[in-house]
mmCIF file of all heavy atoms in Angstrom:
data_model
loop_
_atom_site.group_PDB
_atom_site.id
_atom_site.type_symbol
_atom_site.label_atom_id
_atom_site.label_comp_id
_atom_site.label_asym_id
_atom_site.label_seq_id
_atom_site.Cartn_x
_atom_site.Cartn_y
_atom_site.Cartn_z
ATOM 1 N N PRO A 69 0.830 -1.208 0.000
ATOM 2 C CA PRO A 69 0.000 0.000 0.000
ATOM 3 C C PRO A 69 0.867 1.262 0.000
ATOM 4 O O PRO A 69 1.886 1.324 0.685
ATOM 5 C CB PRO A 69 -0.796 -0.116 1.312
ATOM 6 C CG PRO A 69 -0.719 -1.558 1.696
ATOM 7 C CD PRO A 69 0.600 -2.048 1.191
ATOM 8 N N VAL A 70 0.471 2.267 -0.760
ATOM 9 C CA VAL A 70 1.221 3.518 -0.838
ATOM 10 C C VAL A 70 0.247 4.690 -0.791
ATOM 11 O O VAL A 70 -0.915 4.580 -1.169
ATOM 12 C CB VAL A 70 2.064 3.601 -2.135
ATOM 13 C CG1 VAL A 70 3.081 2.465 -2.198
ATOM 14 C CG2 VAL A 70 1.175 3.597 -3.370
ATOM 15 N N SER A 71 0.742 5.815 -0.324
ATOM 16 C CA SER A 71 -0.007 7.060 -0.420
ATOM 17 C C SER A 71 0.660 7.999 -1.409
ATOM 18 O O SER A 71 0.002 8.820 -2.049
ATOM 19 C CB SER A 71 -0.113 7.733 0.953
ATOM 20 O OG SER A 71 1.178 7.996 1.477
ATOM 21 N N GLU A 72 1.981 7.863 -1.553
ATOM 22 C CA GLU A 72 2.759 8.665 -2.497
ATOM 23 C C GLU A 72 3.984 7.848 -2.879
ATOM 24 O O GLU A 72 4.692 7.337 -2.012
ATOM 25 C CB GLU A 72 3.162 9.984 -1.846
ATOM 26 C CG GLU A 72 3.916 10.926 -2.741
ATOM 27 C CD GLU A 72 4.147 12.274 -2.066
ATOM 28 O OE1 GLU A 72 3.306 12.689 -1.239
ATOM 29 O OE2 GLU A 72 5.164 12.916 -2.365
ATOM 30 N N TYR A 73 4.249 7.734 -4.194
ATOM 31 C CA TYR A 73 5.300 6.802 -4.620
ATOM 32 C C TYR A 73 5.919 7.282 -5.926
ATOM 33 O O TYR A 73 5.205 7.593 -6.876
ATOM 34 C CB TYR A 73 4.709 5.400 -4.801
ATOM 35 C CG TYR A 73 5.717 4.337 -5.175
ATOM 36 C CD1 TYR A 73 6.404 3.628 -4.194
ATOM 37 C CD2 TYR A 73 5.978 4.045 -6.500
ATOM 38 C CE1 TYR A 73 7.336 2.647 -4.534
ATOM 39 C CE2 TYR A 73 6.897 3.074 -6.853
ATOM 40 C CZ TYR A 73 7.583 2.371 -5.867
ATOM 41 O OH TYR A 73 8.491 1.412 -6.207
ATOM 42 N N VAL A 74 7.266 7.338 -5.974
ATOM 43 C CA VAL A 74 7.984 7.694 -7.200
ATOM 44 C C VAL A 74 8.070 6.453 -8.077
ATOM 45 O O VAL A 74 8.664 5.443 -7.677
ATOM 46 C CB VAL A 74 9.395 8.224 -6.882
ATOM 47 C CG1 VAL A 74 10.134 8.552 -8.185
ATOM 48 C CG2 VAL A 74 9.317 9.457 -5.996
ATOM 49 N N LEU A 75 7.465 6.517 -9.257
ATOM 50 C CA LEU A 75 7.357 5.334 -10.118
ATOM 51 C C LEU A 75 8.671 5.021 -10.825
ATOM 52 O O LEU A 75 9.401 5.920 -11.249
ATOM 53 C CB LEU A 75 6.250 5.555 -11.149
ATOM 54 C CG LEU A 75 4.828 5.619 -10.568
ATOM 55 C CD1 LEU A 75 3.843 6.096 -11.627
ATOM 56 C CD2 LEU A 75 4.408 4.253 -10.028
ATOM 57 N N ARG A 76 8.913 3.718 -10.976
ATOM 58 C CA ARG A 76 10.082 3.208 -11.700
ATOM 59 C C ARG A 76 9.604 2.214 -12.760
ATOM 60 O O ARG A 76 8.571 1.555 -12.571
ATOM 61 C CB ARG A 76 11.048 2.511 -10.746
ATOM 62 C CG ARG A 76 11.645 3.432 -9.687
ATOM 63 C CD ARG A 76 12.725 4.324 -10.281
ATOM 64 N NE ARG A 76 13.382 5.127 -9.264
ATOM 65 C CZ ARG A 76 13.100 6.383 -8.993
ATOM 66 N NH1 ARG A 76 12.119 6.962 -9.667
ATOM 67 N NH2 ARG A 76 13.743 7.058 -8.067
ATOM 68 N N PRO A 77 10.324 2.097 -13.871
ATOM 69 C CA PRO A 77 9.901 1.155 -14.917
ATOM 70 C C PRO A 77 9.704 -0.250 -14.365
ATOM 71 O O PRO A 77 10.527 -0.747 -13.593
ATOM 72 C CB PRO A 77 11.066 1.200 -15.922
ATOM 73 C CG PRO A 77 11.694 2.536 -15.712
ATOM 74 C CD PRO A 77 11.559 2.831 -14.253
ATOM 75 N N GLY A 78 8.592 -0.875 -14.741
ATOM 76 C CA GLY A 78 8.289 -2.224 -14.285
ATOM 77 C C GLY A 78 7.437 -2.273 -13.038
ATOM 78 O O GLY A 78 7.000 -3.364 -12.643
ATOM 79 N N ASP A 79 7.175 -1.132 -12.402
ATOM 80 C CA ASP A 79 6.317 -1.127 -11.220
ATOM 81 C C ASP A 79 4.915 -1.603 -11.586
ATOM 82 O O ASP A 79 4.363 -1.208 -12.621
ATOM 83 C CB ASP A 79 6.226 0.276 -10.614
ATOM 84 C CG ASP A 79 7.443 0.637 -9.789
ATOM 85 O OD1 ASP A 79 8.139 -0.284 -9.326
ATOM 86 O OD2 ASP A 79 7.699 1.839 -9.606
ATOM 87 N N VAL A 80 4.353 -2.439 -10.732
ATOM 88 C CA VAL A 80 2.986 -2.928 -10.924
ATOM 89 C C VAL A 80 2.077 -2.176 -9.954
ATOM 90 O O VAL A 80 2.197 -2.313 -8.743
ATOM 91 C CB VAL A 80 2.890 -4.449 -10.676
ATOM 92 C CG1 VAL A 80 1.440 -4.912 -10.835
ATOM 93 C CG2 VAL A 80 3.802 -5.202 -11.644
ATOM 94 N N ILE A 81 1.189 -1.367 -10.516
ATOM 95 C CA ILE A 81 0.240 -0.577 -9.729
ATOM 96 C C ILE A 81 -1.082 -1.330 -9.674
ATOM 97 O O ILE A 81 -1.564 -1.811 -10.700
ATOM 98 C CB ILE A 81 0.026 0.805 -10.376
ATOM 99 C CG1 ILE A 81 1.357 1.535 -10.568
ATOM 100 C CG2 ILE A 81 -0.946 1.645 -9.567
ATOM 101 C CD1 ILE A 81 1.260 2.741 -11.488
ATOM 102 N N THR A 82 -1.663 -1.416 -8.492
ATOM 103 C CA THR A 82 -2.980 -2.021 -8.351
ATOM 104 C C THR A 82 -3.923 -1.003 -7.732
ATOM 105 O O THR A 82 -3.699 -0.553 -6.603
ATOM 106 C CB THR A 82 -2.935 -3.281 -7.466
ATOM 107 O OG1 THR A 82 -1.945 -4.177 -7.974
ATOM 108 C CG2 THR A 82 -4.279 -3.984 -7.465
ATOM 109 N N LEU A 83 -4.942 -0.611 -8.492
ATOM 110 C CA LEU A 83 -5.977 0.274 -7.992
ATOM 111 C C LEU A 83 -7.205 -0.578 -7.733
ATOM 112 O O LEU A 83 -7.911 -0.957 -8.672
ATOM 113 C CB LEU A 83 -6.287 1.389 -8.996
ATOM 114 C CG LEU A 83 -5.094 2.265 -9.431
ATOM 115 C CD1 LEU A 83 -5.568 3.395 -10.324
ATOM 116 C CD2 LEU A 83 -4.322 2.800 -8.224
ATOM 117 N N SER A 84 -7.415 -0.940 -6.478
ATOM 118 C CA SER A 84 -8.460 -1.886 -6.092
ATOM 119 C C SER A 84 -8.195 -3.215 -6.791
ATOM 120 O O SER A 84 -7.252 -3.906 -6.456
ATOM 121 C CB SER A 84 -9.849 -1.334 -6.408
ATOM 122 O OG SER A 84 -10.844 -2.156 -5.840
ATOM 123 N N ASN A 85 -8.989 -3.581 -7.819
ATOM 124 C CA ASN A 85 -8.765 -4.844 -8.519
ATOM 125 C C ASN A 85 -8.249 -4.642 -9.940
ATOM 126 O O ASN A 85 -8.246 -5.583 -10.734
ATOM 127 C CB ASN A 85 -10.060 -5.660 -8.560
ATOM 128 C CG ASN A 85 -11.152 -4.963 -9.362
ATOM 129 O OD1 ASN A 85 -11.102 -3.744 -9.542
ATOM 130 N ND2 ASN A 85 -12.131 -5.711 -9.829
ATOM 131 N N VAL A 86 -7.809 -3.432 -10.282
ATOM 132 C CA VAL A 86 -7.317 -3.137 -11.625
ATOM 133 C C VAL A 86 -5.791 -3.083 -11.599
ATOM 134 O O VAL A 86 -5.201 -2.312 -10.835
ATOM 135 C CB VAL A 86 -7.880 -1.798 -12.146
ATOM 136 C CG1 VAL A 86 -7.290 -1.471 -13.512
ATOM 137 C CG2 VAL A 86 -9.400 -1.863 -12.219
ATOM 138 N N MET A 87 -5.148 -3.901 -12.437
ATOM 139 C CA MET A 87 -3.686 -3.957 -12.476
ATOM 140 C C MET A 87 -3.161 -3.087 -13.610
ATOM 141 O O MET A 87 -3.639 -3.152 -14.745
ATOM 142 C CB MET A 87 -3.201 -5.394 -12.665
ATOM 143 C CG MET A 87 -1.689 -5.524 -12.493
ATOM 144 S SD MET A 87 -1.081 -7.216 -12.710
ATOM 145 C CE MET A 87 -1.234 -7.398 -14.485
ATOM 146 N N ILE A 88 -2.143 -2.279 -13.276
ATOM 147 C CA ILE A 88 -1.544 -1.352 -14.231
ATOM 148 C C ILE A 88 -0.034 -1.495 -14.148
ATOM 149 O O ILE A 88 0.536 -1.555 -13.055
ATOM 150 C CB ILE A 88 -1.944 0.105 -13.904
ATOM 151 C CG1 ILE A 88 -3.471 0.256 -13.911
ATOM 152 C CG2 ILE A 88 -1.310 1.072 -14.877
ATOM 153 C CD1 ILE A 88 -3.945 1.586 -13.370
ATOM 154 N N ILE A 89 0.627 -1.554 -15.289
ATOM 155 C CA ILE A 89 2.084 -1.611 -15.332
ATOM 156 C C ILE A 89 2.609 -0.266 -15.823
ATOM 157 O O ILE A 89 2.132 0.273 -16.826
ATOM 158 C CB ILE A 89 2.581 -2.741 -16.246
ATOM 159 C CG1 ILE A 89 2.147 -4.091 -15.685
ATOM 160 C CG2 ILE A 89 4.106 -2.700 -16.384
ATOM 161 C CD1 ILE A 89 2.508 -5.270 -16.570
ATOM 162 N N TYR A 90 3.603 0.263 -15.108
ATOM 163 C CA TYR A 90 4.245 1.513 -15.508
ATOM 164 C C TYR A 90 5.534 1.190 -16.245
ATOM 165 O O TYR A 90 6.342 0.365 -15.780
ATOM 166 C CB TYR A 90 4.554 2.371 -14.284
ATOM 167 C CG TYR A 90 5.403 3.585 -14.604
ATOM 168 C CD1 TYR A 90 4.827 4.742 -15.123
ATOM 169 C CD2 TYR A 90 6.778 3.570 -14.394
ATOM 170 C CE1 TYR A 90 5.604 5.845 -15.424
ATOM 171 C CE2 TYR A 90 7.562 4.671 -14.687
ATOM 172 C CZ TYR A 90 6.973 5.811 -15.201
ATOM 173 O OH TYR A 90 7.746 6.901 -15.502
ATOM 174 N N GLY A 91 5.734 1.839 -17.397
ATOM 175 C CA GLY A 91 6.948 1.603 -18.166
ATOM 176 C C GLY A 91 7.504 2.881 -18.753
ATOM 177 O O GLY A 91 6.846 3.923 -18.794
ATOM 178 N N GLU A 92 8.730 2.806 -19.223
ATOM 179 C CA GLU A 92 9.396 3.916 -19.898
ATOM 180 C C GLU A 92 10.181 3.368 -21.071
ATOM 181 O O GLU A 92 10.614 2.231 -21.059
ATOM 182 C CB GLU A 92 10.360 4.632 -18.940
ATOM 183 C CG GLU A 92 9.709 5.267 -17.739
ATOM 184 C CD GLU A 92 10.731 5.796 -16.731
ATOM 185 O OE1 GLU A 92 11.946 5.685 -17.018
ATOM 186 O OE2 GLU A 92 10.321 6.291 -15.673
#
């Protein structure tokens, strides 16, 4: 769980039940 997070390539974000991958 996070409230504020600096994103890095490959991070897997989960918003409730929705999965999101951050890339560059």
Side-chain angles (χ1 to χ4, degrees):
V70 299
S71 59
E72 183 174 329
Y73 183 88
V74 178
L75 292 169
R76 297 284 185 261
D79 281 337
V80 178
I81 305 166
T82 306
L83 304 185
S84 189
N85 64 338
V86 177
M87 189 180 73
I88 302 170
I89 296 176
Y90 171 81
E92 298 172 2

